[in-house]
Amino acid sequence: MADTVREIERKYEAEDGAGEVRLPDLSGAGPVASVARQDAVELDAVYYDTADLRLAAAGITLRRRTGGTDAGWHLKLPVAPGVRDEVRAPLGERVPPRLAGLVRCRTREEPLLPLVRLVTRRAVQHLLAADGTLLAEASTDAVTAERADGGHTVRWIEAEVEVAPGGDPALLDTLEPHLRTAGLRPSPAPSKLARALDELGLAHPAPQPVAKPATAGDHLLAYLREHAETLLALDPGARLGTKDAVHQMRVATRRLRSAFRTYGRILDRRATDPLGEELRWLAAGLGVDRDREVLVERLRDALEEVPRPLVRGPVRARLRIWATRNRAETRRQVTAVLDGKRYLALLEALDALLTDPPLRPAAARPAEPVLTKALQRDHARLAARVEHALATEPGRARDLALHEARKAAKRARYAAEAATPALGKRAKRFAREVKAVQTVLGDHQDSVLTRTALQTIASQAAVAGETTFTYGLLYGREERRAADDERQLAGTWTQVRPPA
C-alpha cells in the first residue's frame, strides 16, 4: 500500500555558506500568529539509486527512513522547483515493488542500491495561524552524511520551511524576507541528497552549457530530447493515476512520432520508422484510458443539458456503472503496457537513437529552409485530406475521412511547434491555425465515439428492461453536433495559410 502527499518547501543556509544557521522568530510574519516549538527528533535515512545515479540525474530521491512521524519508504518525484510529490510505503527491509515500478522507466534493469546515509537532528517549530491552524513547519537540521559503503563523512546545518498539507504556497514568499534578514539565503542544492552527493564526491560533473541550435539537425534533436524526457517524467503519474498524466504522456509519444515522419529528410526513416511504430503502439495502449475520460466527461455534460422531465429511467446510475467498469479495465491495460518488456525496449531504442542519431545530409544545413519545406509538405498533405473529406458523402465514409484529416492536422501542428524555435512567428501562426482545424475535427471524432458508446449503454439498459428514450435523445444531439462541426470545418480551413 502506498499514499502520496504534495511537498512544498524551501531550504536555506547561512548567507556565507558556512556560518551559523538560526531561524528568526517568525511570529507576526504575514498570517503567522504564533510559533510552537516541538520536541527535537532524529531521522536516519538511507538513499537508494542505481550505481550510475539515474534517479539523482532526474531529480528523484528514494529513501528508507526511520525516526519521526512518517517512518517508512519515501519516493520523491519532482513537480516544480521546491515542489515534489512524495509517495510513501510502509517500512520494510527491501525496496517496495510499487515504488520500484514507479522509477522503472529510469532504472530499466539496473538494481537499486544503498548509496548514501543521512542522519539528521531536527529542531522543529510549528507556525500557527490565529485560530491555531498549522500553516507551515520550520526546522533547523544538523545533517551528517556518509557513503553507505563507508568512507569519509560530511556535516552541515540547514534550515527548511515546509507548507502544511493544503496550505498556501505563497506563505514561503511572505516568510523569505524575514529569513534573509536573519542572515539566511536559499540553498543552491535542491535537496539534502544532492548536497550530500556533491560533498561526498559522488555527483556527476556539472553539465556543460548546450550550444544554441544552429542547423536543422540541432533543432530537431533538441525537440526530440525534450519530449523523450517528458515521456519519462510523466511515467510515474500515469501509473499513479495523476490527472492528465496519461493524456500528456500520449501527446509526448505522438509528438515524437510526428517529428520522425515530418522530418524524414533530417533523420533517416529507415531507423525512425520502426521506432515510430513502437510509439504508435504505446499511444494506443495509453489511449484507452484517455478516451474513456473524454467520453465520460462528454456524456455527463450532455446529460446535464437535458431537461429533467426528459431524463427517463436510471440514466445517471447506468452511466456511472459503465464509467466505473471501463475505468477499472483501462487502468489495468495502462499498467500492463508500462510494466511490459516491450515498453522498456522502446525506451532503450529511443535512448540509442538520440545518442547516435541517424542524420541525413539535410541535418547539417541551415534550419530555416529545411524546416519550412517540411511544413509545406505537411500543409499539402492536410489540404488533400480536408478536401477529400468535405467532398465525401455524409455517413461512415465521411467520418473516416474526417478522422484521417484530424490526424494530418495534428501532425502538421506538432511539426510547426517543433519548428517554432527556428522559424519564429511564421511557424507559431501556422501551428495556431492548424490547431483550430484540429479542434473542430477532434470534436467531430469525439461525437462519433460518443454515439458508439451510447449505443452500447442503451443496449445494456434495454437488456435490463429500462427505457432507452434518453439515450436516443443524446444520440440525436450528438448527430446534430457532428453536422455542425462539418459545416464549421470549411470556414476554419480557409483561415489556414501555408508556411511561406
Side-chain angles (χ1 to χ4, degrees):
M1 194 67 184
D3 61 294
T4 305
V5 295
R6 177 62 55 89
E7 178 186 86
I8 304 173
E9 65 181 17
R10 288 184 192 170
K11 298 181 183 299
Y12 295 86
E13 62 180 27
E15 189 66 45
D16 59 5
E20 184 178 9
V21 174
R22 185 186 298 275
L23 285 170
D25 182 5
L26 294 171
S27 56
V32 179
S34 62
V35 175
R37 297 185 181 276
Q38 308 298 304
D39 293 335
V41 295
E42 184 168 284
L43 309 173
D44 191 338
V46 176
Y47 287 78
Y48 286 68
D49 204 335
T50 60
D52 55 358
L53 301 178
R54 297 183 184 185
L55 300 188
I60 297 170
T61 61
L62 173 63
R63 72 187 179 198
R64 180 188 184 274
R65 190 168 80 179
T66 57
T69 59
D70 62 347
W73 286 89
H74 304 157
L75 174 65
K76 297 191 178 188
L77 303 166
V79 176
V83 182
R84 295 187 289 183
D85 279 340
E86 182 175 281
V87 187
R88 299 174 178 174
L91 196 63
E93 292 303 316
R94 297 184 178 182
V95 178
R98 189 182 183 203
L99 299 192
L102 290 173
V103 294
R104 188 164 171 256
C105 68
R106 302 283 186 180
T107 60
R108 314 289 166 83
E109 302 299 336
E110 292 297 311
L112 287 164
L113 308 170
L115 294 183
V116 174
R117 181 187 179 201
L118 297 183
V119 178
T120 303
R121 179 73 175 175
R122 172 167 288 179
V124 183
Q125 302 177 15
H126 284 176
L127 309 185
L128 307 174
D131 62 358
T133 300
L134 178 64
L135 298 174
E137 184 176 281
S139 63
T140 303
D141 294 343
V143 184
T144 302
E146 64 180 8
R147 295 174 63 140
D149 58 1
H152 72 287
T153 298
V154 295
R155 294 179 175 84
W156 72 87
I157 299 177
E158 66 180 34
E160 180 178 297
V161 181
E162 181 176 348
V163 177
D168 184 2
L171 176 63
L172 297 177
D173 292 330
T174 301
L175 298 179
E176 182 150 319
H178 299 269
L179 297 169
R180 284 186 175 274
T181 300
L184 301 179
R185 68 179 183 187
S187 172
S191 67
K192 287 183 174 65
L193 176 63
R195 181 167 181 173
L197 291 172
D198 183 50
E199 299 198 12
L200 290 171
L202 294 173
H204 291 298
Q208 296 299 314
V210 178
K212 184 178 180 180
T215 66
D218 291 340
H219 279 278
L220 179 58
L221 290 174
Y223 178 83
L224 293 174
R225 289 184 179 116
E226 174 190 349
H227 292 288
E229 174 58 31
T230 297
L231 189 68
L232 298 178
L234 290 166
D235 178 293
R239 296 172 183 271
L240 290 168
T242 303
K243 181 176 174 58
D244 214 33
V246 169
H247 171 57
Q248 292 303 326
M249 192 175 181
R250 191 184 187 191
V251 169
T253 66
R254 286 174 165 171
R255 290 181 187 277
L256 291 166
R257 182 167 174 257
S258 293
F260 289 155
R261 298 175 73 189
T262 293
Y263 298 111
R265 297 189 182 184
I266 299 176
L267 285 179
D268 193 336
R269 289 194 60 171
R270 289 174 296 181
T272 60
D273 278 356
L275 184 52
E277 285 305 305
E278 289 304 284
L279 289 167
R280 180 181 182 182
W281 160 80
L282 177 59
L286 297 172
V288 291
D289 192 56
R290 172 60 179 174
D291 292 343
R292 180 207 60 81
E293 289 179 354
V294 170
L295 290 181
V296 169
E297 184 176 349
R298 189 177 180 105
L299 285 168
R300 285 174 176 162
D301 290 345
L303 192 58
E304 289 299 317
E305 296 175 0
V306 176
R308 187 173 297 275
L310 299 182
V311 180
R312 300 179 184 176
V315 179
R316 288 184 173 81
R318 176 65 58 185
L319 175 58
R320 189 162 51 248
I321 292 170
W322 179 83
T324 302
R325 181 168 60 245
N326 277 269
R327 176 161 180 76
E329 292 172 358
T330 56
R331 291 301 308 151
R332 282 194 295 269
Q333 291 181 50
V334 168
T335 302
V337 166
L338 298 180
D339 282 343
K341 292 184 177 180
R342 186 174 179 180
Y343 172 58
L344 287 189
L346 185 161
L347 297 180
E348 292 286 352
L350 185 57
D351 283 350
L353 182 135
L354 294 175
T355 300
D356 185 17
L359 298 173
R360 298 186 65 195
R365 296 173 190 159
E368 186 172 351
V370 176
L371 301 184
T372 299
K373 287 181 180 179
L375 295 188
Q376 289 170 341
R377 288 192 294 271
D378 270 7
H379 175 269
R381 181 171 174 271
L382 173 58
R385 292 200 180 186
V386 170
E387 290 162 7
H388 169 67
L390 293 174
T392 303
E393 289 295 319
R396 178 63 177 163
R398 175 179 276 192
D399 289 344
L400 291 174
L402 289 168
H403 183 45
E404 291 300 313
R406 176 191 177 220
K407 291 191 288 186
K410 191 175 297 184
R411 172 174 160 180
R413 172 194 163 193
Y414 292 158
E417 290 172 349
T420 295
L423 304 184
K425 292 181 179 179
R426 289 178 295 146
K428 191 173 183 179
R429 183 263 305 164
F430 181 59
R432 182 177 63 251
E433 293 170 356
V434 172
K435 183 180 179 180
V437 173
Q438 179 193 333
T439 299
V440 175
L441 292 169
D443 188 73
H444 184 277
Q445 177 64 10
D446 288 346
S447 177
V448 172
L449 296 175
T450 302
R451 279 177 275 158
T452 301
L454 284 168
Q455 288 177 318
T456 300
I457 300 170
S459 297
Q460 295 169 352
V463 170
E466 300 164 8
T467 176
T468 59
F469 171 83
T470 304
Y471 306 112
L473 176 63
L474 292 173
Y475 190 98
R477 290 188 172 191
E478 284 294 343
E479 280 190 319
R480 184 180 65 189
R481 186 168 175 175
D484 291 341
D485 289 331
E486 292 174 22
R487 286 189 292 270
Q488 183 181 350
L489 174 61
T492 304
W493 172 243
T494 62
Q495 302 300 314
V496 180
R497 293 163 287 174

